[in-house]
Amino acid sequence: MVSETTATAEDTESQPTELPETALETARHQLNQAASIIDVDPNVVERLNYPAAVHEVTIPLERDDGTVEMYQGFRAQHDSVRGPYKGGLRYHPEVSREECIGLSMWMTWKCAVMDIPFGGAKGGIVVDPKDLSDAETERLTRRFANEIRNIIGPMTDIPAPDMGTGAQTMAWIMDAYSVQEAETTPGVVTGKPPVIGGSKGREEAPGRSVAIISREVLEYYDYPLEDATVAVQGFGSVGANAARLLDDWGATVVAVSDVNGAAYDPGGLDTRAIPSHDEEPEAVTTYADETIGNEAVFELDVDLLVPAAVGNVITEDNVADIQADLVVEGANGPTTFTADSILDERGVHVIPDILANAGGVTVSYFEWLQDINRRAWSRERVNEELETEMLAAWDAVRQEVETHDVSWRDGAYIVALSRIAEAHESRGLWP
């Protein structure tokens, strides 16, 4: 059963100061900060502070032992003024309504920064996927797909993989949706296996875009790539692909980490000799000659730090330990609003997630186009098109940073907010 709620004034109530800053609070802070810099209709800003709808579902799952357990699922749809909703689905114990709203807002900005004709959405199930067998995961996914079937679709809302989900998850959702629609509908999700309409290069795309933007920001601030030192927190798909590309391009990657700690070598790691989380979960430290703790990664005196694991890892509590000159966000929301402000005051340049890791949604857009046109692209074309789009977005943000003398985050939000506001003003408010 599906319950639909629209945003209420309750969404704006601040949390007690002793609680961690939520994704929603951070997203709203960032939106209103950007709105204060440029001339934008305050009525549009007011609308963008709220999601269009939040769908909450209860999912029964028959476990392998015959017992039935109930799980909670969400799909937040933020804004669709520029096109269908777009965003990931995550399976994680800490999925919540607020988190989904905040992440859906970031997806709206990300699509606008990249000038992609999508709006923002996000969703997930409150579950630890490690606790499920493969068969249980499939049953949970198919039932979830059925519960949200009426609010997703290739022209409505297009899910994609996120934490705890992947290509197989998207294949199950596509199949469940297609069976109910009585026709094969590959465009209902992105991030599928290429054999059923997925795009080559999709899985590596967020990490590739992080590497591209890292290369550009290092060059912008006169750090020769071949002399640059890099630390990557999180060696999953995003972190591993970013680290390996930067390594290939000549940078010295001195540390990569997973939940157990970090492999460290001041002379540079062989990043391709260390398995990513997808290749061998939680194995980074077993392949290291020298290891350091997770928090020590943030304290390394490197040119570039890439937080690429989860949100809220750079906070008011540890921001003073950051020694890097540049931060490129590989994860969604790794830096809280307070920590971001402190880094800005210190002159540490932070390149925001809505630009840096936007390769994922960009290649998802390419996948959607391929599905609609029933024509697959080569990996070479995907990577070339991604490079072109990332450089165009970089240039757009750079121009705003230089014009307004603002941070990179504010510059990215100015680009996004300007495009979204123009679309809202053109479409108007019905009725």
Side-chain angles (χ1 to χ4, degrees), residues 5-8 11 24 28 46-54 76-79 85 97 100-102 104-105 120:
T5 60
T6 54
T8 68
D11 293 317
L24 178 55
R28 284 178 169 152
E46 177 66 11
R47 290 173 66 179
L48 293 174
N49 266 286
Y50 300 90
V54 183
Q77 297 171 325
H78 176 243
D79 185 82
Y85 299 108
R97 181 180 185 274
C100 289
I101 295 172
S104 73
M105 292 173 71

mmCIF file with all atom_site columns, all heavy atoms in Angstrom, residues 5-8 11 24 28 46-54 76-79 85 97 100-102 104-105 120:
data_model
loop_
_atom_site.group_PDB
_atom_site.id
_atom_site.type_symbol
_atom_site.label_atom_id
_atom_site.label_alt_id
_atom_site.label_comp_id
_atom_site.label_asym_id
_atom_site.label_entity_id
_atom_site.label_seq_id
_atom_site.pdbx_PDB_ins_code
_atom_site.Cartn_x
_atom_site.Cartn_y
_atom_site.Cartn_z
_atom_site.occupancy
_atom_site.B_iso_or_equiv
_atom_site.pdbx_formal_charge
_atom_site.auth_seq_id
_atom_site.auth_comp_id
_atom_site.auth_asym_id
_atom_site.auth_atom_id
_atom_site.pdbx_PDB_model_num
ATOM 1   N N   . THR A 1 5   ? 2.411  11.891 0.605   1.00 0.00 ? 5   THR A N   1
ATOM 2   C CA  . THR A 1 5   ? 2.332  13.077 1.433   1.00 0.00 ? 5   THR A CA  1
ATOM 3   C C   . THR A 1 5   ? 2.998  14.219 0.726   1.00 0.00 ? 5   THR A C   1
ATOM 4   O O   . THR A 1 5   ? 3.994  14.044 0.046   1.00 0.00 ? 5   THR A O   1
ATOM 5   C CB  . THR A 1 5   ? 3.040  12.861 2.791   1.00 0.00 ? 5   THR A CB  1
ATOM 6   O OG1 . THR A 1 5   ? 4.403  12.555 2.542   1.00 0.00 ? 5   THR A OG1 1
ATOM 7   C CG2 . THR A 1 5   ? 2.402  11.740 3.578   1.00 0.00 ? 5   THR A CG2 1
ATOM 8   N N   . THR A 1 6   ? 2.436  15.388 0.857   1.00 0.00 ? 6   THR A N   1
ATOM 9   C CA  . THR A 1 6   ? 3.105  16.578 0.370   1.00 0.00 ? 6   THR A CA  1
ATOM 10  C C   . THR A 1 6   ? 3.799  17.234 1.538   1.00 0.00 ? 6   THR A C   1
ATOM 11  O O   . THR A 1 6   ? 3.501  16.979 2.699   1.00 0.00 ? 6   THR A O   1
ATOM 12  C CB  . THR A 1 6   ? 2.098  17.551 -0.259  1.00 0.00 ? 6   THR A CB  1
ATOM 13  O OG1 . THR A 1 6   ? 1.065  17.802 0.689   1.00 0.00 ? 6   THR A OG1 1
ATOM 14  C CG2 . THR A 1 6   ? 1.488  16.952 -1.518  1.00 0.00 ? 6   THR A CG2 1
ATOM 15  N N   . ALA A 1 7   ? 4.739  18.088 1.239   1.00 0.00 ? 7   ALA A N   1
ATOM 16  C CA  . ALA A 1 7   ? 5.529  18.703 2.299   1.00 0.00 ? 7   ALA A CA  1
ATOM 17  C C   . ALA A 1 7   ? 4.674  19.617 3.150   1.00 0.00 ? 7   ALA A C   1
ATOM 18  O O   . ALA A 1 7   ? 3.739  20.253 2.683   1.00 0.00 ? 7   ALA A O   1
ATOM 19  C CB  . ALA A 1 7   ? 6.673  19.489 1.684   1.00 0.00 ? 7   ALA A CB  1
ATOM 20  N N   . THR A 1 8   ? 5.002  19.681 4.418   1.00 0.00 ? 8   THR A N   1
ATOM 21  C CA  . THR A 1 8   ? 4.302  20.567 5.335   1.00 0.00 ? 8   THR A CA  1
ATOM 22  C C   . THR A 1 8   ? 5.320  21.425 6.048   1.00 0.00 ? 8   THR A C   1
ATOM 23  O O   . THR A 1 8   ? 6.524  21.260 5.905   1.00 0.00 ? 8   THR A O   1
ATOM 24  C CB  . THR A 1 8   ? 3.524  19.748 6.384   1.00 0.00 ? 8   THR A CB  1
ATOM 25  O OG1 . THR A 1 8   ? 4.471  19.096 7.234   1.00 0.00 ? 8   THR A OG1 1
ATOM 26  C CG2 . THR A 1 8   ? 2.638  18.701 5.726   1.00 0.00 ? 8   THR A CG2 1
ATOM 27  N N   . ASP A 1 11  ? 8.473  20.142 7.911   1.00 0.00 ? 11  ASP A N   1
ATOM 28  C CA  . ASP A 1 11  ? 9.758  19.834 7.285   1.00 0.00 ? 11  ASP A CA  1
ATOM 29  C C   . ASP A 1 11  ? 10.809 20.888 7.581   1.00 0.00 ? 11  ASP A C   1
ATOM 30  O O   . ASP A 1 11  ? 12.000 20.645 7.434   1.00 0.00 ? 11  ASP A O   1
ATOM 31  C CB  . ASP A 1 11  ? 9.592  19.711 5.772   1.00 0.00 ? 11  ASP A CB  1
ATOM 32  C CG  . ASP A 1 11  ? 8.758  18.505 5.404   1.00 0.00 ? 11  ASP A CG  1
ATOM 33  O OD1 . ASP A 1 11  ? 8.975  17.435 6.001   1.00 0.00 ? 11  ASP A OD1 1
ATOM 34  O OD2 . ASP A 1 11  ? 7.903  18.640 4.541   1.00 0.00 ? 11  ASP A OD2 1
ATOM 35  N N   . LEU A 1 24  ? 18.699 16.868 4.576   1.00 0.00 ? 24  LEU A N   1
ATOM 36  C CA  . LEU A 1 24  ? 17.690 17.870 4.232   1.00 0.00 ? 24  LEU A CA  1
ATOM 37  C C   . LEU A 1 24  ? 18.088 19.251 4.742   1.00 0.00 ? 24  LEU A C   1
ATOM 38  O O   . LEU A 1 24  ? 17.973 20.258 4.013   1.00 0.00 ? 24  LEU A O   1
ATOM 39  C CB  . LEU A 1 24  ? 16.331 17.462 4.812   1.00 0.00 ? 24  LEU A CB  1
ATOM 40  C CG  . LEU A 1 24  ? 15.172 18.438 4.585   1.00 0.00 ? 24  LEU A CG  1
ATOM 41  C CD1 . LEU A 1 24  ? 14.984 18.740 3.101   1.00 0.00 ? 24  LEU A CD1 1
ATOM 42  C CD2 . LEU A 1 24  ? 13.877 17.874 5.182   1.00 0.00 ? 24  LEU A CD2 1
ATOM 43  N N   . ARG A 1 28  ? 18.898 22.457 2.273   1.00 0.00 ? 28  ARG A N   1
ATOM 44  C CA  . ARG A 1 28  ? 18.171 23.733 2.376   1.00 0.00 ? 28  ARG A CA  1
ATOM 45  C C   . ARG A 1 28  ? 19.112 24.892 2.676   1.00 0.00 ? 28  ARG A C   1
ATOM 46  O O   . ARG A 1 28  ? 18.957 25.994 2.137   1.00 0.00 ? 28  ARG A O   1
ATOM 47  C CB  . ARG A 1 28  ? 17.077 23.629 3.447   1.00 0.00 ? 28  ARG A CB  1
ATOM 48  C CG  . ARG A 1 28  ? 15.866 22.831 2.956   1.00 0.00 ? 28  ARG A CG  1
ATOM 49  C CD  . ARG A 1 28  ? 14.813 22.697 4.025   1.00 0.00 ? 28  ARG A CD  1
ATOM 50  N NE  . ARG A 1 28  ? 13.575 22.163 3.461   1.00 0.00 ? 28  ARG A NE  1
ATOM 51  C CZ  . ARG A 1 28  ? 12.701 21.462 4.147   1.00 0.00 ? 28  ARG A CZ  1
ATOM 52  N NH1 . ARG A 1 28  ? 12.930 21.190 5.425   1.00 0.00 ? 28  ARG A NH1 1
ATOM 53  N NH2 . ARG A 1 28  ? 11.602 21.026 3.579   1.00 0.00 ? 28  ARG A NH2 1
ATOM 54  N N   . GLU A 1 46  ? 11.020 29.366 -2.472  1.00 0.00 ? 46  GLU A N   1
ATOM 55  C CA  . GLU A 1 46  ? 10.109 28.772 -1.494  1.00 0.00 ? 46  GLU A CA  1
ATOM 56  C C   . GLU A 1 46  ? 9.620  27.409 -1.972  1.00 0.00 ? 46  GLU A C   1
ATOM 57  O O   . GLU A 1 46  ? 9.579  26.441 -1.207  1.00 0.00 ? 46  GLU A O   1
ATOM 58  C CB  . GLU A 1 46  ? 8.914  29.702 -1.271  1.00 0.00 ? 46  GLU A CB  1
ATOM 59  C CG  . GLU A 1 46  ? 7.842  29.173 -0.326  1.00 0.00 ? 46  GLU A CG  1
ATOM 60  C CD  . GLU A 1 46  ? 8.294  29.018 1.118   1.00 0.00 ? 46  GLU A CD  1
ATOM 61  O OE1 . GLU A 1 46  ? 9.388  29.516 1.461   1.00 0.00 ? 46  GLU A OE1 1
ATOM 62  O OE2 . GLU A 1 46  ? 7.566  28.391 1.907   1.00 0.00 ? 46  GLU A OE2 1
ATOM 63  N N   . ARG A 1 47  ? 9.268  27.310 -3.237  1.00 0.00 ? 47  ARG A N   1
ATOM 64  C CA  . ARG A 1 47  ? 8.815  26.027 -3.787  1.00 0.00 ? 47  ARG A CA  1
ATOM 65  C C   . ARG A 1 47  ? 9.917  24.981 -3.724  1.00 0.00 ? 47  ARG A C   1
ATOM 66  O O   . ARG A 1 47  ? 9.674  23.807 -3.425  1.00 0.00 ? 47  ARG A O   1
ATOM 67  C CB  . ARG A 1 47  ? 8.344  26.206 -5.236  1.00 0.00 ? 47  ARG A CB  1
ATOM 68  C CG  . ARG A 1 47  ? 7.055  26.994 -5.370  1.00 0.00 ? 47  ARG A CG  1
ATOM 69  C CD  . ARG A 1 47  ? 6.723  27.278 -6.834  1.00 0.00 ? 47  ARG A CD  1
ATOM 70  N NE  . ARG A 1 47  ? 6.408  26.059 -7.575  1.00 0.00 ? 47  ARG A NE  1
ATOM 71  C CZ  . ARG A 1 47  ? 6.063  26.053 -8.860  1.00 0.00 ? 47  ARG A CZ  1
ATOM 72  N NH1 . ARG A 1 47  ? 6.022  27.199 -9.538  1.00 0.00 ? 47  ARG A NH1 1
ATOM 73  N NH2 . ARG A 1 47  ? 5.782  24.918 -9.459  1.00 0.00 ? 47  ARG A NH2 1
ATOM 74  N N   . LEU A 1 48  ? 11.149 25.390 -4.002  1.00 0.00 ? 48  LEU A N   1
ATOM 75  C CA  . LEU A 1 48  ? 12.256 24.444 -4.071  1.00 0.00 ? 48  LEU A CA  1
ATOM 76  C C   . LEU A 1 48  ? 12.719 23.959 -2.701  1.00 0.00 ? 48  LEU A C   1
ATOM 77  O O   . LEU A 1 48  ? 13.486 22.998 -2.608  1.00 0.00 ? 48  LEU A O   1
ATOM 78  C CB  . LEU A 1 48  ? 13.430 25.067 -4.830  1.00 0.00 ? 48  LEU A CB  1
ATOM 79  C CG  . LEU A 1 48  ? 13.181 25.332 -6.318  1.00 0.00 ? 48  LEU A CG  1
ATOM 80  C CD1 . LEU A 1 48  ? 14.355 26.077 -6.937  1.00 0.00 ? 48  LEU A CD1 1
ATOM 81  C CD2 . LEU A 1 48  ? 12.928 24.025 -7.064  1.00 0.00 ? 48  LEU A CD2 1
ATOM 82  N N   . ASN A 1 49  ? 12.269 24.603 -1.643  1.00 0.00 ? 49  ASN A N   1
ATOM 83  C CA  . ASN A 1 49  ? 12.595 24.138 -0.301  1.00 0.00 ? 49  ASN A CA  1
ATOM 84  C C   . ASN A 1 49  ? 11.810 22.885 0.086   1.00 0.00 ? 49  ASN A C   1
ATOM 85  O O   . ASN A 1 49  ? 12.091 22.275 1.113   1.00 0.00 ? 49  ASN A O   1
ATOM 86  C CB  . ASN A 1 49  ? 12.327 25.244 0.723   1.00 0.00 ? 49  ASN A CB  1
ATOM 87  C CG  . ASN A 1 49  ? 13.564 26.072 1.019   1.00 0.00 ? 49  ASN A CG  1
ATOM 88  O OD1 . ASN A 1 49  ? 14.473 25.620 1.704   1.00 0.00 ? 49  ASN A OD1 1
ATOM 89  N ND2 . ASN A 1 49  ? 13.615 27.277 0.480   1.00 0.00 ? 49  ASN A ND2 1
ATOM 90  N N   . TYR A 1 50  ? 10.834 22.506 -0.732  1.00 0.00 ? 50  TYR A N   1
ATOM 91  C CA  . TYR A 1 50  ? 9.954  21.380 -0.421  1.00 0.00 ? 50  TYR A CA  1
ATOM 92  C C   . TYR A 1 50  ? 9.913  20.392 -1.580  1.00 0.00 ? 50  TYR A C   1
ATOM 93  O O   . TYR A 1 50  ? 10.013 20.785 -2.739  1.00 0.00 ? 50  TYR A O   1
ATOM 94  C CB  . TYR A 1 50  ? 8.531  21.876 -0.140  1.00 0.00 ? 50  TYR A CB  1
ATOM 95  C CG  . TYR A 1 50  ? 8.450  22.825 1.019   1.00 0.00 ? 50  TYR A CG  1
ATOM 96  C CD1 . TYR A 1 50  ? 8.580  24.200 0.824   1.00 0.00 ? 50  TYR A CD1 1
ATOM 97  C CD2 . TYR A 1 50  ? 8.279  22.348 2.314   1.00 0.00 ? 50  TYR A CD2 1
ATOM 98  C CE1 . TYR A 1 50  ? 8.522  25.078 1.898   1.00 0.00 ? 50  TYR A CE1 1
ATOM 99  C CE2 . TYR A 1 50  ? 8.218  23.224 3.391   1.00 0.00 ? 50  TYR A CE2 1
ATOM 100 C CZ  . TYR A 1 50  ? 8.346  24.589 3.181   1.00 0.00 ? 50  TYR A CZ  1
ATOM 101 O OH  . TYR A 1 50  ? 8.291  25.462 4.243   1.00 0.00 ? 50  TYR A OH  1
ATOM 102 N N   . PRO A 1 51  ? 9.708  19.121 -1.287  1.00 0.00 ? 51  PRO A N   1
ATOM 103 C CA  . PRO A 1 51  ? 9.506  18.152 -2.368  1.00 0.00 ? 51  PRO A CA  1
ATOM 104 C C   . PRO A 1 51  ? 8.086  18.252 -2.916  1.00 0.00 ? 51  PRO A C   1
ATOM 105 O O   . PRO A 1 51  ? 7.168  18.695 -2.213  1.00 0.00 ? 51  PRO A O   1
ATOM 106 C CB  . PRO A 1 51  ? 9.723  16.807 -1.665  1.00 0.00 ? 51  PRO A CB  1
ATOM 107 C CG  . PRO A 1 51  ? 9.261  17.058 -0.255  1.00 0.00 ? 51  PRO A CG  1
ATOM 108 C CD  . PRO A 1 51  ? 9.663  18.486 0.047   1.00 0.00 ? 51  PRO A CD  1
ATOM 109 N N   . ALA A 1 52  ? 7.915  17.833 -4.161  1.00 0.00 ? 52  ALA A N   1
ATOM 110 C CA  . ALA A 1 52  ? 6.562  17.766 -4.711  1.00 0.00 ? 52  ALA A CA  1
ATOM 111 C C   . ALA A 1 52  ? 5.742  16.712 -3.981  1.00 0.00 ? 52  ALA A C   1
ATOM 112 O O   . ALA A 1 52  ? 4.557  16.904 -3.690  1.00 0.00 ? 52  ALA A O   1
ATOM 113 C CB  . ALA A 1 52  ? 6.630  17.451 -6.205  1.00 0.00 ? 52  ALA A CB  1
ATOM 114 N N   . ALA A 1 53  ? 6.360  15.583 -3.665  1.00 0.00 ? 53  ALA A N   1
ATOM 115 C CA  . ALA A 1 53  ? 5.670  14.501 -2.954  1.00 0.00 ? 53  ALA A CA  1
ATOM 116 C C   . ALA A 1 53  ? 6.682  13.548 -2.365  1.00 0.00 ? 53  ALA A C   1
ATOM 117 O O   . ALA A 1 53  ? 7.812  13.431 -2.856  1.00 0.00 ? 53  ALA A O   1
ATOM 118 C CB  . ALA A 1 53  ? 4.730  13.746 -3.905  1.00 0.00 ? 53  ALA A CB  1
ATOM 119 N N   . VAL A 1 54  ? 6.267  12.866 -1.312  1.00 0.00 ? 54  VAL A N   1
ATOM 120 C CA  . VAL A 1 54  ? 7.060  11.779 -0.738  1.00 0.00 ? 54  VAL A CA  1
ATOM 121 C C   . VAL A 1 54  ? 6.146  10.560 -0.642  1.00 0.00 ? 54  VAL A C   1
ATOM 122 O O   . VAL A 1 54  ? 5.087  10.625 -0.014  1.00 0.00 ? 54  VAL A O   1
ATOM 123 C CB  . VAL A 1 54  ? 7.624  12.127 0.654   1.00 0.00 ? 54  VAL A CB  1
ATOM 124 C CG1 . VAL A 1 54  ? 8.494  10.976 1.166   1.00 0.00 ? 54  VAL A CG1 1
ATOM 125 C CG2 . VAL A 1 54  ? 8.410  13.421 0.610   1.00 0.00 ? 54  VAL A CG2 1
ATOM 126 N N   . ALA A 1 76  ? 11.108 9.939  -2.705  1.00 0.00 ? 76  ALA A N   1
ATOM 127 C CA  . ALA A 1 76  ? 10.893 11.385 -2.643  1.00 0.00 ? 76  ALA A CA  1
ATOM 128 C C   . ALA A 1 76  ? 11.078 11.959 -4.040  1.00 0.00 ? 76  ALA A C   1
ATOM 129 O O   . ALA A 1 76  ? 12.073 11.686 -4.709  1.00 0.00 ? 76  ALA A O   1
ATOM 130 C CB  . ALA A 1 76  ? 11.875 12.034 -1.672  1.00 0.00 ? 76  ALA A CB  1
ATOM 131 N N   . GLN A 1 77  ? 10.110 12.762 -4.480  1.00 0.00 ? 77  GLN A N   1
ATOM 132 C CA  . GLN A 1 77  ? 10.158 13.419 -5.787  1.00 0.00 ? 77  GLN A CA  1
ATOM 133 C C   . GLN A 1 77  ? 10.183 14.927 -5.533  1.00 0.00 ? 77  GLN A C   1
ATOM 134 O O   . GLN A 1 77  ? 9.215  15.494 -5.049  1.00 0.00 ? 77  GLN A O   1
ATOM 135 C CB  . GLN A 1 77  ? 8.947  13.022 -6.628  1.00 0.00 ? 77  GLN A CB  1
ATOM 136 C CG  . GLN A 1 77  ? 8.920  11.528 -6.934  1.00 0.00 ? 77  GLN A CG  1
ATOM 137 C CD  . GLN A 1 77  ? 7.625  11.077 -7.577  1.00 0.00 ? 77  GLN A CD  1
ATOM 138 O OE1 . GLN A 1 77  ? 6.554  11.593 -7.254  1.00 0.00 ? 77  GLN A OE1 1
ATOM 139 N NE2 . GLN A 1 77  ? 7.695  10.093 -8.460  1.00 0.00 ? 77  GLN A NE2 1
ATOM 140 N N   . HIS A 1 78  ? 11.309 15.545 -5.870  1.00 0.00 ? 78  HIS A N   1
ATOM 141 C CA  . HIS A 1 78  ? 11.506 16.936 -5.484  1.00 0.00 ? 78  HIS A CA  1
ATOM 142 C C   . HIS A 1 78  ? 10.951 17.937 -6.485  1.00 0.00 ? 78  HIS A C   1
ATOM 143 O O   . HIS A 1 78  ? 10.089 18.744 -6.162  1.00 0.00 ? 78  HIS A O   1
ATOM 144 C CB  . HIS A 1 78  ? 12.996 17.210 -5.247  1.00 0.00 ? 78  HIS A CB  1
ATOM 145 C CG  . HIS A 1 78  ? 13.276 18.653 -4.928  1.00 0.00 ? 78  HIS A CG  1
ATOM 146 N ND1 . HIS A 1 78  ? 14.061 19.452 -5.734  1.00 0.00 ? 78  HIS A ND1 1
ATOM 147 C CD2 . HIS A 1 78  ? 12.853 19.448 -3.913  1.00 0.00 ? 78  HIS A CD2 1
ATOM 148 C CE1 . HIS A 1 78  ? 14.112 20.670 -5.230  1.00 0.00 ? 78  HIS A CE1 1
ATOM 149 N NE2 . HIS A 1 78  ? 13.397 20.689 -4.118  1.00 0.00 ? 78  HIS A NE2 1
ATOM 150 N N   . ASP A 1 79  ? 11.441 17.908 -7.723  1.00 0.00 ? 79  ASP A N   1
ATOM 151 C CA  . ASP A 1 79  ? 11.049 18.927 -8.691  1.00 0.00 ? 79  ASP A CA  1
ATOM 152 C C   . ASP A 1 79  ? 11.164 18.343 -10.099 1.00 0.00 ? 79  ASP A C   1
ATOM 153 O O   . ASP A 1 79  ? 12.166 17.693 -10.414 1.00 0.00 ? 79  ASP A O   1
ATOM 154 C CB  . ASP A 1 79  ? 11.949 20.157 -8.564  1.00 0.00 ? 79  ASP A CB  1
ATOM 155 C CG  . ASP A 1 79  ? 11.501 21.298 -9.457  1.00 0.00 ? 79  ASP A CG  1
ATOM 156 O OD1 . ASP A 1 79  ? 10.578 22.043 -9.051  1.00 0.00 ? 79  ASP A OD1 1
ATOM 157 O OD2 . ASP A 1 79  ? 12.063 21.449 -10.556 1.00 0.00 ? 79  ASP A OD2 1
ATOM 158 N N   . TYR A 1 85  ? 11.395 12.995 -13.056 1.00 0.00 ? 85  TYR A N   1
ATOM 159 C CA  . TYR A 1 85  ? 12.208 12.808 -11.858 1.00 0.00 ? 85  TYR A CA  1
ATOM 160 C C   . TYR A 1 85  ? 13.289 11.766 -12.131 1.00 0.00 ? 85  TYR A C   1
ATOM 161 O O   . TYR A 1 85  ? 13.086 10.819 -12.877 1.00 0.00 ? 85  TYR A O   1
ATOM 162 C CB  . TYR A 1 85  ? 11.350 12.327 -10.687 1.00 0.00 ? 85  TYR A CB  1
ATOM 163 C CG  . TYR A 1 85  ? 10.261 13.283 -10.275 1.00 0.00 ? 85  TYR A CG  1
ATOM 164 C CD1 . TYR A 1 85  ? 8.920  12.992 -10.540 1.00 0.00 ? 85  TYR A CD1 1
ATOM 165 C CD2 . TYR A 1 85  ? 10.560 14.463 -9.594  1.00 0.00 ? 85  TYR A CD2 1
ATOM 166 C CE1 . TYR A 1 85  ? 7.907  13.852 -10.141 1.00 0.00 ? 85  TYR A CE1 1
ATOM 167 C CE2 . TYR A 1 85  ? 9.552  15.325 -9.197  1.00 0.00 ? 85  TYR A CE2 1
ATOM 168 C CZ  . TYR A 1 85  ? 8.223  15.026 -9.475  1.00 0.00 ? 85  TYR A CZ  1
ATOM 169 O OH  . TYR A 1 85  ? 7.221  15.884 -9.089  1.00 0.00 ? 85  TYR A OH  1
ATOM 170 N N   . ARG A 1 97  ? 12.919 9.242  5.551   1.00 0.00 ? 97  ARG A N   1
ATOM 171 C CA  . ARG A 1 97  ? 12.150 10.201 4.758   1.00 0.00 ? 97  ARG A CA  1
ATOM 172 C C   . ARG A 1 97  ? 12.957 11.469 4.528   1.00 0.00 ? 97  ARG A C   1
ATOM 173 O O   . ARG A 1 97  ? 13.073 11.972 3.407   1.00 0.00 ? 97  ARG A O   1
ATOM 174 C CB  . ARG A 1 97  ? 10.842 10.527 5.474   1.00 0.00 ? 97  ARG A CB  1
ATOM 175 C CG  . ARG A 1 97  ? 9.929  11.503 4.737   1.00 0.00 ? 97  ARG A CG  1
ATOM 176 C CD  . ARG A 1 97  ? 8.657  11.746 5.547   1.00 0.00 ? 97  ARG A CD  1
ATOM 177 N NE  . ARG A 1 97  ? 7.725  12.588 4.808   1.00 0.00 ? 97  ARG A NE  1
ATOM 178 C CZ  . ARG A 1 97  ? 7.729  13.914 4.799   1.00 0.00 ? 97  ARG A CZ  1
ATOM 179 N NH1 . ARG A 1 97  ? 8.678  14.560 5.493   1.00 0.00 ? 97  ARG A NH1 1
ATOM 180 N NH2 . ARG A 1 97  ? 6.842  14.592 4.115   1.00 0.00 ? 97  ARG A NH2 1
ATOM 181 N N   . CYS A 1 100 ? 15.896 11.005 2.108   1.00 0.00 ? 100 CYS A N   1
ATOM 182 C CA  . CYS A 1 100 ? 15.454 10.907 0.717   1.00 0.00 ? 100 CYS A CA  1
ATOM 183 C C   . CYS A 1 100 ? 15.078 12.274 0.156   1.00 0.00 ? 100 CYS A C   1
ATOM 184 O O   . CYS A 1 100 ? 15.378 12.584 -1.006  1.00 0.00 ? 100 CYS A O   1
ATOM 185 C CB  . CYS A 1 100 ? 14.276 9.943  0.604   1.00 0.00 ? 100 CYS A CB  1
ATOM 186 S SG  . CYS A 1 100 ? 14.725 8.203  0.861   1.00 0.00 ? 100 CYS A SG  1
ATOM 187 N N   . ILE A 1 101 ? 14.441 13.121 0.974   1.00 0.00 ? 101 ILE A N   1
ATOM 188 C CA  . ILE A 1 101 ? 14.092 14.461 0.500   1.00 0.00 ? 101 ILE A CA  1
ATOM 189 C C   . ILE A 1 101 ? 15.357 15.265 0.212   1.00 0.00 ? 101 ILE A C   1
ATOM 190 O O   . ILE A 1 101 ? 15.490 15.904 -0.839  1.00 0.00 ? 101 ILE A O   1
ATOM 191 C CB  . ILE A 1 101 ? 13.215 15.199 1.532   1.00 0.00 ? 101 ILE A CB  1
ATOM 192 C CG1 . ILE A 1 101 ? 11.866 14.499 1.696   1.00 0.00 ? 101 ILE A CG1 1
ATOM 193 C CG2 . ILE A 1 101 ? 12.988 16.658 1.094   1.00 0.00 ? 101 ILE A CG2 1
ATOM 194 C CD1 . ILE A 1 101 ? 11.034 15.053 2.843   1.00 0.00 ? 101 ILE A CD1 1
ATOM 195 N N   . GLY A 1 102 ? 16.299 15.247 1.159   1.00 0.00 ? 102 GLY A N   1
ATOM 196 C CA  . GLY A 1 102 ? 17.535 16.003 0.963   1.00 0.00 ? 102 GLY A CA  1
ATOM 197 C C   . GLY A 1 102 ? 18.299 15.542 -0.261  1.00 0.00 ? 102 GLY A C   1
ATOM 198 O O   . GLY A 1 102 ? 18.765 16.348 -1.075  1.00 0.00 ? 102 GLY A O   1
ATOM 199 N N   . SER A 1 104 ? 17.064 13.992 -2.849  1.00 0.00 ? 104 SER A N   1
ATOM 200 C CA  . SER A 1 104 ? 16.302 14.321 -4.058  1.00 0.00 ? 104 SER A CA  1
ATOM 201 C C   . SER A 1 104 ? 16.533 15.776 -4.463  1.00 0.00 ? 104 SER A C   1
ATOM 202 O O   . SER A 1 104 ? 16.565 16.101 -5.664  1.00 0.00 ? 104 SER A O   1
ATOM 203 C CB  . SER A 1 104 ? 14.804 14.062 -3.846  1.00 0.00 ? 104 SER A CB  1
ATOM 204 O OG  . SER A 1 104 ? 14.205 15.036 -3.009  1.00 0.00 ? 104 SER A OG  1
ATOM 205 N N   . MET A 1 105 ? 16.711 16.653 -3.494  1.00 0.00 ? 105 MET A N   1
ATOM 206 C CA  . MET A 1 105 ? 17.035 18.045 -3.804  1.00 0.00 ? 105 MET A CA  1
ATOM 207 C C   . MET A 1 105 ? 18.388 18.144 -4.489  1.00 0.00 ? 105 MET A C   1
ATOM 208 O O   . MET A 1 105 ? 18.550 18.840 -5.493  1.00 0.00 ? 105 MET A O   1
ATOM 209 C CB  . MET A 1 105 ? 17.012 18.883 -2.519  1.00 0.00 ? 105 MET A CB  1
ATOM 210 C CG  . MET A 1 105 ? 15.625 19.036 -1.911  1.00 0.00 ? 105 MET A CG  1
ATOM 211 S SD  . MET A 1 105 ? 15.623 19.863 -0.294  1.00 0.00 ? 105 MET A SD  1
ATOM 212 C CE  . MET A 1 105 ? 16.013 21.547 -0.777  1.00 0.00 ? 105 MET A CE  1
ATOM 213 N N   . GLY A 1 120 ? 14.786 16.009 -9.802  1.00 0.00 ? 120 GLY A N   1
ATOM 214 C CA  . GLY A 1 120 ? 15.425 15.201 -8.769  1.00 0.00 ? 120 GLY A CA  1
ATOM 215 C C   . GLY A 1 120 ? 14.471 14.299 -8.010  1.00 0.00 ? 120 GLY A C   1
ATOM 216 O O   . GLY A 1 120 ? 13.354 14.689 -7.668  1.00 0.00 ? 120 GLY A O   1
#
